[in-house]
Amino acid sequence: MKRVRAEILNTKRLGAYHSLTLVAPEVADRARPGQFVSVAMPNDRSFMLRRHFSIHQASRRGGWAGTLEFVFDPHGPGTSWLAEAKAHQFLDVIGPLGKAFAYPQKLNNCLLISEGHGSASIYFLAQELRSRGKRVDMLIGAEDQEHVFKPIEGKRLSQTIAIVTEDGSLGERGRIVDMLPTMVDGVNAQVIYAAARRGTLREIADVCAERQIPSQIAVEEQMACGVGMCFTCVVPVIRKDGSGFDNLRACSEGPVFNPARILWDRWMGDEPRMLPTPPEGFPPVRTWPG
Amino acid sequence: MKRVRAEILNTKRLGAYHSLTLVAPEVADRARPGQFVSVAMPNDRSFMLRRHFSIHQASRRGGWAGTLEFVFDPHGPGTSWLAEAKAHQFLDVIGPLGKAFAYPQKLNNCLLISEGHGSASIYFLAQELRSRGKRVDMLIGAEDQEHVFKPIEGKRLSQTIAIVTEDGSLGERGRIVDMLPTMVDGVNAQVIYAAARRGTLREIADVCAERQIPSQIAVEEQMACGVGMCFTCVVPVIRKDGSGFDNLRACSEGPVFNPARILWDRWMGDEPRMLPTPPEGFPPVRTWPG
Amino acid sequence: MAGVKPSLAVDLNGVVFPLPVLAAAGCLGTGRDGGGLVDLHRLGGVVTRSLTLHPGKGTSTPRMAETAAGLLTAVGLQNPGVEAFVSEDLPRLVRAGVPVIASVAGASLEEYIRVASFLHSNPGITALEVYLSAPDDERGGGRPFYSHLERIIEVIGSVARLSHIPVFAKLPALLPDLEETAGACVRAGAHGLTLIDGVPGMSVDTAKLRASLSTVIGGLSGPSIRPIALAAVYRVAQAMPDVPIMGVGGIGTGDDAVEFLLAGAWAVQVGTAMLVNPSAPAEIAQGIHRHLKTKGFASAADLRGRLRGNEYAHGHWTGNGEESA
Amino acid sequence: MAGVKPSLAVDLNGVVFPLPVLAAAGCLGTGRDGGGLVDLHRLGGVVTRSLTLHPGKGTSTPRMAETAAGLLTAVGLQNPGVEAFVSEDLPRLVRAGVPVIASVAGASLEEYIRVASFLHSNPGITALEVYLSAPDDERGGGRPFYSHLERIIEVIGSVARLSHIPVFAKLPALLPDLEETAGACVRAGAHGLTLIDGVPGMSVDTAKLRASLSTVIGGLSGPSIRPIALAAVYRVAQAMPDVPIMGVGGIGTGDDAVEFLLAGAWAVQVGTAMLVNPSAPAEIAQGIHRHLKTKGFASAADLRGRLRGNEYAHGHWTGNGEESA
Ligand SMILES: Cc1cc2nc3c(=O)[nH]c(=O)nc-3n(C[C@H](O)[C@H](O)[C@H](O)COP(=O)(O)OP(=O)(O)OC[C@H]3O[C@@H](n4cnc5c(N)ncnc54)[C@H](O)[C@@H]3O)c2cc1C
Ligand SMILES: Cc1cc2nc3c(=O)[nH]c(=O)nc-3n(C[C@H](O)[C@H](O)[C@H](O)COP(=O)(O)OP(=O)(O)OC[C@H]3O[C@@H](n4cnc5c(N)ncnc54)[C@H](O)[C@@H]3O)c2cc1C
Ligand SMILES: Cc1cc2nc3c(=O)[nH]c(=O)nc-3n(C[C@H](O)[C@H](O)[C@H](O)COP(=O)(O)O)c2cc1C
Ligand SMILES: Cc1cc2nc3c(=O)[nH]c(=O)nc-3n(C[C@H](O)[C@H](O)[C@H](O)COP(=O)(O)O)c2cc1C
Ligand code: FES
Ligand code: FES
């Protein structure tokens, strides 16, 4: 993890999204899919916390060597400010942050699921899996066509791809979970990776648990520091031995977790389905990567 | 007093200063020398109060009709932001605010004294006095040449002009008060107007009091609202009948005051020379404009 | 429901405001100020500058300093005195038809009583709001009345007993036993509460090595105190859901106001934001209206206390772990 | 004097820090965190996350929300417990050579005593700081220990009596009788005070109609509370100029820190600013150094309480007019 002053090389709109490419060799060199960067805000604003973005591209070789790309949907003060940032401006960036997706050793067929800006890290992952000779299939969801991130790129990166939008403006009409079972069967998925909204992640987790498919998901939780100091970003994760759970920091102990080990009811406090820790502890979780 | 969305017509540097010209006919039409405008800051900043600036020009006729100019020395967050503002951007402006300088009825020889950005309103006043057939002489002070605002314009507007800088980089080396007695005698000053730093204003007030020269000064005091609602901007002013003093609002009851009526010791709390109200009250002040 | 035009009028157990957004004490001057930029017809009501028996000169300058998303002020109760207010300023407000809440201040219990006596039977005044941050000269040390619960009760009780119109107690956030204090005010006769007053704060001019304010410590207002004010409103509203609360502190947008209504306020007051943007109260009322429409609420009162349950919050107002192993 | 290299070391009546800027409790994790971005050698000291007897899981998320120039958090004392801290985290800090102040928390008087007993004789620990915002389980109602003066005195007194090392009491700003409370802590044996803890605050997600934090109310920190913290430091320093005070709350620049030193702090702590800028403490120390050089002060201690007299401030901490006719 490094903190750098990174020059903006390129800034562009992509549908509903905005992409920034930075010159940040120290960060790009170590970046792996699932990791993220944190970006400082200007210091005369009424908002002051750093903003966090998944790494979409990190080029180690070729003409773009040492550059790093991230993608966001401008909506709040921080992302709106970033969307206005100009090329050659410098950003205060820390990265790469967090634990990356792990690659399967033996299993081959990887189904990659992303929703909205989740595609940013999922496409990066697809590249890395393919360079390791794995089969990659994709299921991409979004509210509408505008929010499907680089569909052409998705097609290029995958053996088969299914796109689903809530309004049917691109691909099928519906939600990721509607397509998931057919997709899993169709591509004979052996490993599932996902980056999506919390509710969707939970639905994916349910499918994975039911079918005992090893999986990894990248979560997002409100982060104050992004580097493990403040403990605001925790996710309740069942211990390997089933003896209970720990509140792990999404920024430094995640953001990639095994969904089978997340205590979803507790984490998604919105729906009051919380259960107390059972007196006998939680059942140990055996699905990869443990 | 109007609140308008005013387009920036022109933005330029002038030595140490920055000038903004706005399209604001409703404000420009009523603006008189000594009055000021308040400008809103963008609302995502950690600073939020409006900033206040004397009106330097208000054109009612000709090609620039309906425009308004103010001038500032970019140093803090608000003035720095304004210095970056671009032409065609809109500003939220309230004005004209405050009481203007009064013009003498019979007396003719006007000595106008300004320090730093004080020249902005003093030059406006010079124009108005000249158009009323008065004689205008000027004494301009600043720390250095850079901070002498538009010296050529000053020369054009005055019969005689004396410039004094602290480092001697333009005109005489010294301070306004050093030149003041000679200047008063030299031009046979009958009325004195001034816009300067508080300490300088006080020195000018002493000279005026001693020589019984009627005078008016434009003061600056920290202002939260600029429109008379908050009572943060007060100046202790002796009542006409000498029965005591009132804390008058610089924004709505000033910023132009008769220096002979200001309770300087009380207002300049910095120097602990404060005196309690004498049991017999203050001596009534007779110098014009009362 | 989303088609119905929501109603913005609020009824604070008999004190009715046409709009839920009032001008906070001390921020609209006494009624003769503001240069006509604040549209009185678009205010739910006006709380006056706090009034003392005699005209008050207030403190010397500097009376203000800007802080991060905040404003520090120390005006020291400069006001025309209760008589001049009633004869010169009140008529203007009454003519505009805006409900007037007179803010009552004093340096002694007696002064509070005399000020309130002068005001409460004036037909132009809808309610009294008692300012408790004035230094208590009878106790000395420059401490405000609110530092001692007995003094709060004495002042509120005396004013409430004599007054023919409803009395609101304005409390600071600065009390660890805020709910108890609020409860004591109600038992002493307060009709409702105004929460919160400026928070004691200070800043220093490091170049001059001096405090920024002549009084060193002043009242902090503006967006920076909004979370503090909101917490105060929530705590008191949870403890006494039937007692009217006016929420004040850092409200600048309709969304900010909705936060307060959801937390339990019956109406809101706006101070600092109005100094920056004279039409803030009107825009805030519009914003509340938009929110009601979007969410399908029929009236501002419908928002009150409608915060959806936060799972782990059971009266804990500073969170320790709910499970510690 | 302007030529002399000013000294930044500070001596808090025997507790010496090489630099006047410490990491505030709970903001540097337990010593294993921060990814090496915070340079421990450029800190005057580290206050640990508040430690309980057993590991604490803390509250559920959301644990944070951003507010105007502020940060609301409710971590709920998630910590590894005092034993794991001493065996796993402390050695790392000791190796770095940075003075360690252990923050002591508990849900009961007994827990405070047991936590302090475990820590105070460890040679790696320089001082204890007692966290008083933990809910007092013995009193119930979820109220923190600081709500009752007797409880503050009990806790501070018990910890101070057993401890071989100096004890700092960390107080909130939320006390109208702050000076008295601080005085009571000192009489109970506290060596010094840390002012202030996060200020109770709240925010609401109006779209979801929910409080932003799972605990509803959390601690407000960051620039928005700086004026409040500064006023608290000033009040206590005026009352007890000889008692060491560590100032904390919204400090982000050297200038901010100088404000606190001038107001009477002996050292400062930095929390939120360090979360945003991990080198904030080092930059703040540099900024203090620059200020000392410019103003010709020989040491950080020379700034303490050097506020030039504000004419009309005579102990009045909320300004009423000094003259009212
Ligand atoms: C590990 C991680 C990776 C992320 N990757 C991406 C990405 O690649 N593209 C993208 O568009 N967004 C991503 N996000 C979400 C992104 O950080 C927020 O959308 C962004 O911070 C919003 O800032 P804002 O000021 O524009 O909006 P606001 O919503 O106004 O932000 C206000 C506050 O809420 C926080 N916040 C808001 N939304 C989220 C969220 N969904 N998750 C966490 N914190 C949030 C912000 O950090 C800030 O403190 C990621 C978040 C995390 C934690
Ligand atoms: C009636 C009036 C007329 C003015 N006319 C001019 C002018 O023509 N040109 C010009 O350059 N400046 C003028 N000033 C001063 C100008 O308002 C401040 O310099 C400016 O607000 C500073 O804002 P800032 O954020 O850049 O700096 P900062 O100094 O950081 O401002 C911080 C705060 O202090 C206040 N403040 C700072 N300096 C002053 C000051 N001297 N007087 C009053 N308040 C201050 C600001 O309003 C703000 O609230 C005038 C002030 C007043 C009251
Ligand atoms: C300039 C100014 C003057 C004030 N005067 C009074 C007053 O006379 N009486 C009073 O009860 N509150 C007074 N207040 C406090 C406000 O009524 C309000 O409680 C506080 O400012 C918080 O609200 P805000 O953030 O919307 O300003 C004053 C506030 C300001 C900024
Ligand atoms: C994420 C976070 C965790 C905190 N944890 C603790 C804690 O465990 N113990 C404690 O005494 N204070 C804790 N605090 C309060 C800080 O130590 C400090 O008093 C407060 O944040 C104000 O300082 P600041 O504005 O510099 O952050 C915490 C603050 C934050 C932001
Ligand atoms: S965001 Fe601070 S620990 Fe994760
Ligand atoms: S600045 Fe508000 S009354 Fe003058």
Side-chain angles (χ1 to χ4, degrees):
Chain A
M1 174 199 328
K2 290 273 173 195
R3 181 165 177 215
V4 296
R5 273 187 83 228
E7 187 180 352
I8 299 178
L9 192 65
N10 188 31
T11 161
K12 60 170 185 280
R13 273 210 84 79
L14 292 167
Y17 300 98
H18 200 100
S19 138
L20 285 183
T21 305
L22 310 177
V23 183
E26 299 97 321
V27 183
D29 277 0
R30 298 148 198 249
R32 288 165 53 209
Q35 291 186 300
F36 62 100
V37 291
S38 90
V39 182
M41 295 290 110
N43 55 25
D44 62 346
R45 306 298 151 128
S46 60
F47 53 99
M48 55 177 191
L49 296 178
R50 305 179 78 91
R51 267 49 181 173
H52 303 96
F53 303 98
S54 306
I55 297 170
H56 171 47
Q57 281 290 341
S59 305
R60 265 150 270 176
R61 285 171 295 275
W64 292 84
T67 68
L68 186 91
E69 185 181 356
F70 65 90
V71 171
F72 53 93
D73 168 11
H75 65 279
T79 47
S80 305
W81 176 76
L82 280 170
E84 301 274 294
K86 300 275 176 288
H88 307 306
Q89 193 174 318
F90 283 82
L91 297 179
D92 167 351
V93 172
I94 300 178
L97 293 166
K99 301 236 183 307
F101 288 110
Y103 309 121
Q105 306 255 324
K106 304 204 194 85
L107 299 174
N108 185 56
N109 298 353
C110 303
L111 174 59
L112 275 55
I113 308 172
S114 66
E115 186 175 37
H117 65 248
S119 300
S121 50
I122 286 295
Y123 289 4
F124 186 15
L125 174 65
Q127 269 176 11
E128 296 292 316
L129 287 171
R130 283 172 58 115
S131 75
R132 279 166 181 73
K134 304 292 173 187
R135 176 187 161 119
V136 168
D137 297 281
M138 283 195 196
L139 172 50
I140 313 285
E143 9 176 344
D144 55 25
Q145 176 166 15
E146 274 267 282
H147 285 84
V148 178
F149 179 67
K150 295 205 274 192
I152 315 284
E153 178 82 357
K155 279 177 191 152
R156 196 181 63 73
L157 287 168
S158 55
Q159 211 83 10
T160 67
I161 187 169
I163 294 178
V164 51
T165 52
E166 280 163 35
D167 67 352
S169 53
L170 190 70
E172 299 288 308
R173 181 196 210 99
R175 303 188 55 252
I176 284 174
V177 68
D178 305 331
M179 308 276 288
L180 189 55
T182 352
M183 187 85 188
V184 168
D185 295 339
V187 303
N188 185 24
Q190 297 172 307
V191 178
I192 289 181
Y193 294 95
R197 284 185 288 199
R198 212 177 282 192
T200 308
L201 286 177
R202 183 183 198 157
E203 291 164 344
I204 295 169
D206 286 345
V207 171
C208 294
E210 200 181 290
R211 305 191 175 211
Q212 293 277 323
I213 303 175
S215 57
Q216 294 206 318
I217 60 171
V219 306
E220 288 179 15
E221 180 53 86
Q222 306 264 99
M223 292 180 178
C225 74
V227 294
M229 293 174 1
C230 72
F231 285 81
T232 58
C233 61
V234 298
V235 177
V237 175
I238 300 170
R239 293 191 189 127
K240 285 193 193 170
D241 63 7
S243 65
F245 75 96
D246 292 303
N247 278 326
L248 301 186
R249 289 160 295 176
C251 68
S252 52
E253 297 164 292
V256 173
F257 290 109
N258 176 351
R261 287 180 50 203
I262 291 179
L263 266 181
W264 290 96
D265 282 331
R266 172 174 282 269
W267 191 38
M268 297 188 62
D270 270 22
E271 284 119 87
R273 302 191 264 158
M274 200 214 108
L275 305 163
T277 308
E280 70 283 8
F282 299 96
V285 178
R286 263 174 283 271
T287 40
W288 173 91
Chain B
M1 176 199 327
K2 290 273 173 195
R3 180 166 177 213
V4 297
R5 271 188 85 227
E7 188 181 350
I8 299 177
L9 193 65
N10 189 29
T11 161
K12 61 169 183 281
R13 272 211 85 78
L14 292 167
Y17 300 99
H18 200 100
S19 138
L20 284 182
T21 305
L22 310 178
V23 183
E26 299 99 320
V27 184
D29 277 0
R30 301 148 195 249
R32 288 165 53 211
Q35 290 187 300
F36 62 99
V37 292
S38 90
V39 182
M41 296 290 110
N43 56 24
D44 62 346
R45 305 297 151 130
S46 59
F47 52 99
M48 56 179 190
L49 296 178
R50 306 178 78 90
R51 264 51 181 173
H52 303 96
F53 303 98
S54 307
I55 297 171
H56 171 48
Q57 281 289 343
S59 305
R60 267 150 268 177
R61 287 170 295 274
W64 293 84
T67 68
L68 186 92
E69 184 180 356
F70 65 90
V71 171
F72 52 93
D73 168 12
H75 66 279
T79 47
S80 304
W81 176 76
L82 280 170
E84 301 273 296
K86 300 274 174 290
H88 307 306
Q89 193 175 318
F90 283 83
L91 297 179
D92 167 353
V93 172
I94 301 178
L97 294 166
K99 302 236 183 307
F101 288 109
Y103 309 121
Q105 307 256 323
K106 305 207 194 83
L107 299 174
N108 185 57
N109 298 354
C110 304
L111 174 60
L112 276 55
I113 308 171
S114 66
E115 186 175 38
H117 65 248
S119 301
S121 50
I122 285 296
Y123 290 4
F124 186 15
L125 174 64
Q127 269 177 12
E128 297 293 315
L129 287 171
R130 283 173 58 115
S131 75
R132 279 163 182 75
K134 304 292 174 189
R135 176 188 161 118
V136 168
D137 297 281
M138 281 195 196
L139 171 52
I140 313 284
E143 11 176 340
D144 54 26
Q145 176 166 12
E146 275 267 283
H147 286 85
V148 179
F149 179 66
K150 296 206 269 190
I152 313 283
E153 178 83 355
K155 278 177 192 151
R156 195 182 63 75
L157 287 167
S158 55
Q159 213 82 8
T160 66
I161 185 168
I163 295 177
V164 51
T165 52
E166 280 162 36
D167 66 352
S169 52
L170 189 70
E172 299 286 308
R173 180 198 211 97
R175 305 188 53 252
I176 285 175
V177 69
D178 305 331
M179 309 275 289
L180 188 54
T182 353
M183 188 88 187
V184 168
D185 295 339
V187 303
N188 185 23
Q190 299 171 306
V191 178
I192 288 181
Y193 294 95
R197 283 185 288 197
R198 209 176 284 191
T200 309
L201 287 176
R202 180 181 203 160
E203 291 163 343
I204 296 169
D206 287 345
V207 171
C208 296
E210 199 181 292
R211 305 191 175 210
Q212 292 277 322
I213 303 175
S215 57
Q216 293 206 318
I217 59 170
V219 307
E220 290 179 14
E221 180 53 87
Q222 306 265 100
M223 293 181 177
C225 74
V227 296
M229 296 177 354
C230 72
F231 285 80
T232 58
C233 61
V234 299
V235 178
V237 175
I238 300 170
R239 294 192 189 126
K240 285 192 192 170
D241 62 7
S243 66
F245 75 97
D246 290 304
N247 278 325
L248 301 185
R249 288 160 295 176
C251 68
S252 53
E253 296 163 293
V256 173
F257 289 109
N258 176 349
R261 287 182 50 206
I262 290 179
L263 265 181
W264 290 96
D265 281 329
R266 172 173 283 271
W267 191 38
M268 296 187 61
D270 269 24
E271 284 118 87
R273 302 190 267 158
M274 202 213 106
L275 306 161
T277 308
E280 70 283 7
F282 298 96
V285 178
R286 262 173 284 272
T287 39
W288 172 91
Chain C
M1 196 105 128
V4 180
K5 198 175 141 52
S7 151
L8 285 179
V10 286
D11 179 343
L12 281 66
N13 289 348
V15 182
V16 177
F17 301 122
L19 292 166
V21 187
L22 288 78
C27 298
L28 190 79
T30 51
R32 41 184 157 178
D33 315 302
L37 287 173
V38 178
D39 186 347
L40 297 179
H41 299 102
R42 301 180 71 186
L43 288 178
V46 166
V47 188
T48 68
R49 179 166 290 281
S50 295
L51 301 164
T52 50
L53 194 56
H54 303 294
K57 289 210 189 306
T59 54
S60 32
T61 55
R63 286 183 173 185
M64 62 147 276
E66 203 172 10
T67 63
L71 169 63
L72 269 177
T73 52
V75 169
L77 298 180
Q78 176 165 359
N79 80 98
V82 75
E83 262 181 79
F85 166 76
V86 165
S87 62
E88 293 166 33
D89 302 322
L90 184 60
R92 201 171 290 101
L93 293 169
V94 169
R95 242 178 285 127
V98 61
V100 175
I101 298 180
S103 173
V104 177
S108 63
L109 180 58
E110 196 203 326
E111 186 174 356
Y112 276 103
I113 291 172
R114 292 178 63 186
V115 171
S117 307
F118 199 95
L119 295 165
H120 77 106
S121 53
N122 189 305
I125 298 176
T126 301
L128 301 179
E129 183 179 280
V130 182
Y131 175 74
L132 292 163
S133 304
D136 182 347
D137 281 0
E138 291 163 336
R139 286 288 172 106
R143 285 304 183 70
F145 280 90
Y146 68 67
S147 328
H148 299 103
L149 184 58
E150 332 79 79
R151 290 298 270 174
I152 297 180
I153 297 172
E154 262 178 358
V155 170
I156 298 295
S158 312
V159 172
R161 272 191 299 279
L162 71 85
S163 176
H164 296 150
I165 54 177
V167 172
F168 287 79
K170 186 168 185 182
L171 294 177
L174 189 88
L175 302 165
D177 49 358
L178 183 59
E179 295 92 330
E180 283 83 342
T181 308
C185 289
V186 171
R187 284 189 300 276
H191 177 87
L193 300 154
T194 302
L195 295 164
I196 61 172
D197 202 353
V199 180
M202 161 178 180
S203 81
V204 170
D205 183 328
T206 55
K208 295 196 188 142
L209 306 178
R210 301 178 61 88
S212 308
L213 300 181
S214 70
T215 52
V216 182
I217 294 180
L220 183 65
S221 63
S224 53
I225 69 164
R226 193 189 315 132
I228 301 172
L230 198 60
V233 167
Y234 177 79
R235 286 169 58 184
V236 175
Q238 290 287 308
M240 299 186 295
D242 299 327
V243 175
I245 298 174
M246 294 195 267
V248 52
I251 298 172
T253 68
D255 221 55
D256 297 344
V258 169
E259 288 196 58
F260 278 81
L261 298 173
L262 287 169
W266 300 44
V268 300
Q269 300 179 359
V270 177
T272 305
M274 190 169 59
L275 303 179
V276 174
N277 170 11
S279 45
E283 290 169 16
I284 291 167
Q286 270 168 11
I288 297 174
H289 189 262
R290 255 195 317 276
H291 190 272
L292 294 175
K293 273 193 98 159
T294 314
K295 294 281 176 185
F297 287 107
S299 75
D302 268 14
L303 282 176
R304 180 171 357 114
R306 277 287 184 100
L307 216 55
R308 283 174 49 202
N310 281 62
E311 208 183 330
Y312 299 106
H314 303 292
H316 271 224
W317 58 278
T318 168
N320 196 353
E322 85 286 349
E323 191 168 358
S324 56
Chain D
M1 198 104 130
V4 179
K5 198 177 142 51
S7 151
L8 285 179
V10 285
D11 179 344
L12 280 68
N13 288 349
V15 182
V16 178
F17 300 123
L19 292 165
V21 187
L22 289 78
C27 298
L28 189 78
T30 50
R32 40 184 157 178
D33 315 302
L37 287 172
V38 179
D39 185 347
L40 298 178
H41 299 100
R42 300 179 70 186
L43 288 177
V46 167
V47 187
T48 68
R49 176 165 292 281
S50 294
L51 300 165
T52 51
L53 194 56
H54 303 293
K57 289 209 189 308
T59 54
S60 31
T61 55
R63 286 184 173 183
M64 63 148 274
E66 204 171 11
T67 63
L71 169 64
L72 270 177
T73 51
V75 169
L77 297 182
Q78 176 165 358
N79 80 96
V82 76
E83 260 180 81
F85 166 76
V86 165
S87 61
E88 292 166 32
D89 301 322
L90 184 60
R92 200 172 290 101
L93 294 170
V94 169
R95 242 176 285 126
V98 61
V100 176
I101 298 180
S103 172
V104 177
S108 62
L109 180 59
E110 196 203 325
E111 187 174 354
Y112 275 102
I113 293 174
R114 290 180 62 188
V115 171
S117 308
F118 200 93
L119 294 165
H120 78 105
S121 52
N122 190 307
I125 300 175
T126 301
L128 301 179
E129 182 179 280
V130 182
Y131 175 74
L132 292 162
S133 303
D136 183 345
D137 281 1
E138 290 163 338
R139 287 285 173 106
R143 286 302 184 71
F145 279 89
Y146 68 68
S147 331
H148 299 102
L149 184 58
E150 333 78 79
R151 289 298 270 174
I152 298 180
I153 297 172
E154 263 178 357
V155 170
I156 298 295
S158 311
V159 172
R161 271 191 300 278
L162 72 84
S163 177
H164 297 149
I165 53 178
V167 172
F168 287 79
K170 185 168 185 182
L171 293 176
L174 188 86
L175 301 165
D177 48 359
L178 183 59
E179 295 91 330
E180 284 82 341
T181 307
C185 288
V186 170
R187 284 189 299 278
H191 177 86
L193 300 155
T194 302
L195 295 164
I196 63 174
D197 203 353
V199 181
M202 162 178 177
S203 81
V204 169
D205 183 328
T206 55
K208 295 196 187 143
L209 307 177
R210 304 177 60 87
S212 308
L213 300 182
S214 69
T215 51
V216 183
I217 295 182
L220 183 64
S221 63
S224 53
I225 68 164
R226 193 189 315 133
I228 301 172
L230 199 59
V233 166
Y234 177 79
R235 287 169 59 186
V236 175
Q238 290 287 306
M240 299 186 293
D242 299 327
V243 174
I245 297 174
M246 293 195 268
V248 52
I251 299 171
T253 66
D255 221 54
D256 297 343
V258 169
E259 288 196 57
F260 278 81
L261 298 173
L262 287 168
W266 299 45
V268 298
Q269 300 179 359
V270 177
T272 305
M274 190 169 59
L275 302 178
V276 173
N277 170 9
S279 44
E283 290 169 16
I284 291 166
Q286 270 168 13
I288 297 173
H289 188 262
R290 256 195 316 275
H291 190 272
L292 294 176
K293 272 193 99 158
T294 314
K295 293 282 176 187
F297 286 108
S299 73
D302 268 15
L303 284 176
R304 183 171 357 115
R306 278 287 185 99
L307 217 54
R308 284 173 49 200
N310 282 62
E311 210 182 329
Y312 299 106
H314 303 293
H316 272 224
W317 58 276
T318 169
N320 196 355
E322 85 286 350
E323 191 167 0
S324 52

